[in-house]
């Protein structure tokens, strides 16, 4: 039944993609894609809930084989949970123009490629799906921005970085297949060189796709320029496929890992979490800001995986399973709230024309459903109770607390530092989304809407409202999902199902009670506010005698200035003040500021320069003369023959 | 294998490397193919062998006709000069041929003479492409390599067959036609069948 449902879902997505190509059936096509995604979600979550496997098992041979197990089910369920509302949103967001029809069809291909990776049971299908999953969103972006040179450059960077990093995925998967370890944990010896190479290669390859720092540079470029539903799928699902394979390799196939590898994973996660949120704070574009937050949240997930590896190494199997459960729960949660935020950003873009934070404002009053959903998503990503982000971050925090408890000096110290990093990340995320909510939703609009501004349709509002409800449901009853997620650890039997989070030997999280308490408190505050309004009539704003205008409102740069000054030594912000004078009288002062990304400046830029210099030198070999090329061939043949003669090959 | 025949093939091949005029080179390649026909006929034991030799002869004549047609269609005021002088070309080709005969291992069952002849023809063909700028010489270099492979086929146990010869003929015809079209296009564009002119297209 699960298999039939999954196949139906896949067929619907495929058929929808084909229908999208025609103008008359464009919206029907997207509806079919959404229905297919919903069927995939049901099949996936069903496999997770029942703990059943369908189809083939993992093989190390290159014969194509497909199947489904509970872990694949979780990610397929997440794909459908995000994909269905994103495609419903796309029905009204995209128009049946040639460009958008191509986007609709390619999106179906993109979904199917992701399903292919999740259902692959052999190295060939896995790697083929992996490459398709990389190429199809690039095609979507290129189609959507055909004449935009900046977009083409961003796509080039995306393809270059993901393919260079993707070598790690190929190395890891092929080495695992050669060792016969795909689907067979315990084949690779713990602490062996092969294990280290596989894990490091996987961390590079899969980490690049997941957007882990310092391999993240493609992410803030590619995600923001994709159409909103595709951004939601990229940030909500595609980068999670990297996490799916990371869990397969690091937690299962490669066997128990040594402490140093666990520390490496933990450190990578901590760097991504803190780095992602820090740079997000200083972004001025909403979609870029959200993309930076994807890096932060991937960091939190990777920290959970790192904690799992370390705790398992120290024999704390129960807590290792909980750490894995925390990582997987945050994976689902991030998929839901990030896709919600990207879809809302898409709706705002259609209304305001641009997503420059300092040009938005007052959207909560203008579009209450979408604005309210955005508020829910912002609270979830900021880790505020009673929403889903809080539950999984709290659980990750609990897992990290136990790393020093069970570990020795090195892993204990790493665990403690990671704990601090997670706390700092949570605080900075809350700070960042106070800024975002204040600038985007509150106040008054700071620019007139463009002439082609479009109000979000009921379909678009319904899609984001559904995801907002999912954030709330996952926040109020995280225990329902967590019980199954903990059971996904190969050594764990799972937890008893409950609404809240009940942890052994530590405080539990009664999330339904917290939700009720907060709702009561919020209700009381609303009542109090209602009374206060009657007592104190509104008064005009005092602005030191100036005329109150839109230009006096908060800006993102102004809000984050204290933090920017505090972190000046590390971040090295750049500012440029330009003044214009006429007849000695100051007429205008312009201010431009930015916080450069240090990893890009200090690592990628010099590497790029070196690579270009080397390419220029190597280009001398490319003479354009046919004779020279044949000469190269002759040389290679002779060299190979000499090597064969000497017994070297 | 008949020693003088192999020597004749090698000398004719070396001639293609050094001669200046395209029509002379076409004549040399055709002569080489006709020598191969002679070898094939001398080794023919069955009717099929004779048919294979006949196919080889038809191919030789047809290619001679096609290549001479090309020469006549693309008359040049002066032959395109190779950058490398004829003695140097000959030296390079001979050096490459000697290196190959030293490096490529020989099966004990193989005909020693013929094996070395095949390697020499392959080396001369590749050297012709590498050292000549005239595009027609590139086509001739490929035909030279093919003649070497035809010699290798004749030395096989059981010799060549009509099917093999027809297949090779089809293959070589397609290749030569494509190369001829390129040659004509280059001639039309640059006024000479000079591969050196293609350097300007590099960027």
């Amino acid at each position: 039944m699960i298999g039939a449902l999954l196949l139906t879902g896949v067929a619907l997505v495929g058929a929808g993609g084909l229908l999208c190509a025609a103008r008359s059936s464009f919206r029907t096509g997207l509806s079919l894609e959404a229905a297919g995604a919903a069927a995939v979600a049901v099949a996936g979550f069903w496999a997770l809930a029942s703990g059943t496997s369908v189809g083939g098992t993992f093989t190390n041979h290159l014969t194509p084989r497909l199947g489904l197990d509970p872990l694949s089910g979780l990610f397929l369920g997440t794909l459908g949970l995000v994909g269905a509302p994103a495609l419903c949103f796309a029905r009204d967001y995209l128009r049946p123009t040639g460009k958008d029809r191509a986007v609709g069809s390619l999106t179906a291909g993109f979904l199917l490629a992701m399903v292919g990776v999740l259902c692959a049971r052999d190295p060939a299908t896995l790697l083929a799906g992996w490459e398709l999953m990389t190429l199809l969103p690039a095609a979507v972006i290129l189609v959507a921005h055909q004449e935009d040179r900046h977009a083409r450059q961003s796509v080039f960077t995306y393809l270059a970085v993901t393919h260079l990093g993707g070598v790690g995925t190929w190395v890891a998967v092929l080495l695992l297949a050669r060792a016969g370890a795909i689907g067979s944990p315990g084949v690779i010896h713990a602490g062996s060189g092969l294990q280290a190479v596989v894990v490091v290669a996987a961390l590079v390859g899969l980490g690049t796709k997941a957007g882990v720092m310092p391999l993240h540079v493609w992410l803030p470029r590619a995600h923001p320029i994709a159409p909103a539903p595709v951004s939601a799928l990229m940030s909500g699902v595609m980068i999670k496929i990297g996490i799916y394979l990371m869990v397969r390799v690091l937690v299962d196939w490669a066997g128990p890992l040594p402490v140093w590898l666990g520390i490496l994973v933990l450190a990578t996660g901590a760097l991504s979490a803190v780095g992602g949120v820090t740079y997000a704070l200083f972004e001025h574009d909403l979609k870029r800001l959200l993309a930076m937050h994807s890096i932060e949240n991937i960091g939190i997930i990777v920290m959970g995986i790192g904690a799992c590896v370390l705790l398992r190494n120290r024999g704390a199997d129960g807590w290792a399973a909980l750490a894995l459960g925390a990582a997987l729960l945050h994976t689902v949660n991030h998929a839901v709230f990030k896709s919600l935020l990207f879809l809302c950003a898409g709706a705002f873009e259609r209304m305001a024309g641009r997503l420059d934070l300092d040009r938005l404002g007052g959207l909560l009053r203008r579009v209450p459903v979408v604005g309210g959903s955005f508020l829910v998503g912002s609270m979830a990503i900021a880790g505020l109770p009673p929403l889903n982000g809080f539950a999984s971050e709290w659980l990750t925090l609990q897992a990290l607390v136990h790393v020093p408890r069970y570990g020795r000096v090195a892993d204990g110290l790493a665990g403690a530092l990671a704990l601090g990093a997670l706390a700092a990340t949570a605080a900075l995320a809350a700070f960042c989304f106070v800024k975002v909510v204040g600038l985007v939703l509150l106040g008054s609009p700071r620019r007139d809407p463009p002439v082609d501004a479009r109000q979000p349709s009921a379909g678009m509002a319904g899609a984001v409202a559904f995801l907002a409800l999912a954030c709330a449901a996952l926040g109020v009853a995280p225990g329902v999902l967590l019980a199954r997620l903990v059971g996904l650890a190969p050594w764990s039997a799972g937890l008893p199902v409950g609404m809240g989070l009940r942890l052994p030997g530590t405080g539990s999280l009664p999330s339904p009670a917290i939700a009720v308490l907060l709702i009561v408190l919020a209700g009381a505050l609303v009542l109090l506010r209602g009374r206060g309004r009657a007592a104190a009539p509104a008064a005009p704003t005092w602005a030191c005698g100036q005329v109150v205008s839109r230009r006096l409102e908060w800006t993102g740069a102004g809000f984050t200035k204290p933090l920017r000054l505090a972190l000046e030594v590390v971040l090295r912000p750049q500012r440029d003040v330009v003044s214009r004078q006429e007849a000695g009288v100051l007429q205008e002062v312009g201010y431009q500021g930015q916080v450069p990304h240090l990893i890009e400046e200090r690592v990628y830029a010099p590497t790029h320069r070196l690579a270009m210099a080397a390419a220029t030198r190597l280009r001398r070999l490319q003479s354009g003369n046919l004779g020279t090329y044949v000469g190269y061939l002759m040389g290679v043949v002779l060299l190979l023959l000499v090597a064969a003669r000497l017994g070297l090959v | 294998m008949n020693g003088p025949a192999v020597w004749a093939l090698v000398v004719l091949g070396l001639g293609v490397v050094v001669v200046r005029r395209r029509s002379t080179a076409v004549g040399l390649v055709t002569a080489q193919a006709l020598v191969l026909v002679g070898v094939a006929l001398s080794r023919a034991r069955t009717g099929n062998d004779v048919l294979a030799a006949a196919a080889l002869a038809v191919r030789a004549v047809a290619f001679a006709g096609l290549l001479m047609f090309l020469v006549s269609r693309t008359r040049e005021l002066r032959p395109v000069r190779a950058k490398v002088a004829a003695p140097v070309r000959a030296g390079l080709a001979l050096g490459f041929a000697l290196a190959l005969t030293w490096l490529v291992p020989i099966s004990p069952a193989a005909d020693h003479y013929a094996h070395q002849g095949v390697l020499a023809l392959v080396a001369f063909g590749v050297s012709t492409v590498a050292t000549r700028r005239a595009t027609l010489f590139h086509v001739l270099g490929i035909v030279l390599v093919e003649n070497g492979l035809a010699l290798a086929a004749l030395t096989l146990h059981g010799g060549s067959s009509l099917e093999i010869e027809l297949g090779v003929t089809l293959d070589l015809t397609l290749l030569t036609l494509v190369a001829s079209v390129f040659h004509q296009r280059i001639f039309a564009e640059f006024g000479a069948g000079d591969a050196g002119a293609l350097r300007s297209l590099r960027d």
Side-chain angles (χ1 to χ4, degrees), chain A residues 80 89 106 118 122 164 223 252 287 306 337 342 356 388 417 435 486 544 572 584 617 634:
Chain A
F89 183 92
L106 287 168
L118 294 172
D122 68 284
L164 283 173
H223 284 206
D252 194 8
K287 280 177 100 177
F337 59 64
F342 265 115
D356 186 352
N388 56 348
L417 288 172
K435 175 187 90 168
V486 171
C544 301
R572 298 167 189 269
R617 284 173 190 276
M634 289 163 68

Side-chain angles (χ1 to χ4, degrees), chain B residues 1-76:
Chain B
M1 175 72 67
N2 187 351
V6 174
W7 272 110
L9 288 169
V10 170
V11 170
L12 287 167
L14 191 60
V16 177
V17 177
V18 293
V19 295
R20 193 174 169 205
R21 300 189 69 83
R22 298 179 300 175
S23 50
T24 315
V26 172
L28 289 172
V29 169
T30 309
Q32 208 179 34
L34 292 174
V35 171
L36 281 169
V37 173
V39 172
L41 283 173
S42 69
R43 294 169 70 91
R45 295 283 178 272
T46 63
N48 194 24
D49 293 345
V50 176
L51 280 175
L56 193 59
V58 171
R59 190 184 89 189
V61 176
F63 272 108
L66 175 68
L67 293 171
M68 286 311 290
F69 173 71
L70 266 180
V71 170
S72 67
R73 283 288 301 270
T74 55
R75 290 242 174 258
E76 289 162 338

Side-chain angles (χ1 to χ4, degrees), chain A residues 619 622-623 626-627 634 645, chain B residues 102 126 130 138 199 202-203:
Chain A
R619 202 167 179 283
Q622 190 193 5
S623 64
L626 183 66
M634 289 163 68
R645 186 90 179 178
Chain B
W102 175 61
V126 174
H138 295 158
R199 293 188 70 168
R202 189 182 65 153
D203 296 319

Side-chain angles (χ1 to χ4, degrees), chain A residues 553-567:
Chain A
E553 291 198 31
W554 273 101
T555 62
F559 189 83
T560 52
K561 187 173 181 181
L563 192 71
R564 199 172 63 244
L565 292 177
L567 298 175

Side-chain angles (χ1 to χ4, degrees), chain A residues 619-631 633-635 637-639 641-645, chain B residues 83 92 96 99-100 102-105 123 126-127 129-133 138 195-196 198-199 202-203:
Chain A
R619 202 167 179 283
R620 289 176 195 161
L621 292 173
Q622 190 193 5
S623 64
N625 183 359
L626 183 66
T628 312
Y629 297 142
V630 177
L633 276 175
M634 289 163 68
V637 169
L638 285 177
L639 271 176
L641 285 170
V642 169
R645 186 90 179 178
Chain B
K83 270 195 173 175
L92 280 173
F96 188 39
L100 285 184
W102 175 61
L103 288 167
V104 177
V126 174
S127 302
V129 179
T131 55
R132 306 299 293 252
R133 286 171 57 186
H138 295 158
L198 295 176
R199 293 188 70 168
R202 189 182 65 153
D203 296 319

Side-chain angles (χ1 to χ4, degrees), chain A residues 116-134:
Chain A
V117 176
L118 294 172
C119 293
R121 290 295 175 268
D122 68 284
T125 313
L126 181 71
L127 291 171
W130 182 261
E131 292 303 321
L132 269 178
M133 190 181 77
T134 304

